[in-house]
Amino acid sequence: MHAAAITVALVEDDSRTRERLCHVIEGEPSLRLAFSASTAAELLAWFADNPVEVLLVDLGLPDRSGLELIQRCCRMQPACAVMVITMFGDEANMLRAFEAGARGYLLKDGTEADLATHVLSLHAGGSPMTPIIARQLLARWRAEQPAGRREGPAPEALSRRETEVLDLIARGFTYAEIAQQMAISVTTVQTHVRNIYGKLGVHNRSEAVFEARQYGLLR
């Protein structure tokens, strides 16, 4: 039996961008486009009565701040994973989006090619980010940490397979490439990644690699 497709809703005011995003989602068999909106009001009216697993939000909406919309949606459906898709690549918007409840942050340039992969990663417990966003967040995080190896209690030990997955992540391989190298399914890779994030107390690849190196878990 095939697993049920992951339900996705999105709000994007630019019609051409919205059509492109919808096209990608509809072209991925493991995803199902449940609803698309052009305004926050339209999205909220639908969202109130329709549970959905993933919500994609543009920050630059015409009728309401995307940041405010994220806060409201997270209160309405706490189990829904929210990801930002925006042109705003500044640190202030990024931090405010995560504080509002977003779990991922993508810039629109080049997003469509990997959107389906990012949505699957988000649903599996990851926090997909455009590389420049991840670097900004990591740089800020590093600036707040003391130099040298992390002190204090070590995280829960990673299994051998989890360590292998994390090593490949640190080397820049995609989930599909990791699955091929380890002769396992992409779903199994996602499960390992979710376990790694939980044990290290992190939310994305960059944080996982940094934290693992701080504890000496990677070569």
Side-chain angles (χ1 to χ4, degrees), residues 131-187:
I132 191 171
I133 296 297
R135 285 196 294 272
Q136 286 184 43
L137 188 61
L138 185 57
R140 182 183 181 87
W141 191 48
R142 280 175 171 165
E144 296 174 352
Q145 304 301 317
R149 178 169 292 190
R150 174 94 57 216
E151 297 181 356
E156 182 182 349
L158 301 181
S159 69
R160 179 179 61 83
R161 296 294 267 178
E162 289 166 355
T163 301
E164 290 178 17
V165 169
L166 185 56
D167 180 63
L168 292 171
I169 287 174
R171 291 160 58 188
F173 289 99
T174 66
Y175 288 178
E177 291 168 339
I178 293 172
Q180 184 176 22
Q181 289 206 33
M182 297 181 65
I184 57 179
S185 69
V186 172
T187 300

Side-chain angles (χ1 to χ4, degrees), residues 5 8 11 33 42-43 53 67 70 97 115 133 139 143 163 192 197:
V8 181
V11 55
L33 180 64
E42 187 181 355
L43 186 280
E53 293 170 281
L67 296 168
I70 292 170
L115 179 60
I133 296 297
T163 301
H192 285 316
Y197 288 176

Side-chain angles (χ1 to χ4, degrees), residues 111-140:
T111 292
E112 289 90 344
D114 298 315
L115 179 60
T117 299
H118 290 317
V119 171
L120 292 170
S121 172
L122 182 77
H123 183 261
S127 292
M129 295 184 218
T130 299
I132 191 171
I133 296 297
R135 285 196 294 272
Q136 286 184 43
L137 188 61
L138 185 57
R140 182 183 181 87

Side-chain angles (χ1 to χ4, degrees), residues 31-64:
L31 303 177
R32 179 173 69 83
L33 180 64
F35 188 72
S36 65
S38 60
T39 65
E42 187 181 355
L43 186 280
L44 287 170
W46 178 87
F47 198 77
D49 299 313
N50 295 275
V52 68
E53 293 170 281
V54 172
L55 174 62
L56 309 179
V57 177
D58 176 26
L59 294 184
L61 298 173
D63 59 334
R64 186 188 296 265

Side-chain angles (χ1 to χ4, degrees), residues 59 67 70 84 86 88-107 128-141 204:
L59 294 184
L67 296 168
I70 292 170
V84 170
T86 183
F88 301 134
D90 60 288
E91 183 177 289
N93 272 300
M94 172 194 68
L95 293 176
R96 290 175 65 193
F98 285 123
E99 289 169 358
R103 302 183 198 174
Y105 199 104
L106 302 176
L107 298 182
M129 295 184 218
T130 299
I132 191 171
I133 296 297
R135 285 196 294 272
Q136 286 184 43
L137 188 61
L138 185 57
R140 182 183 181 87
W141 191 48
N204 58 65

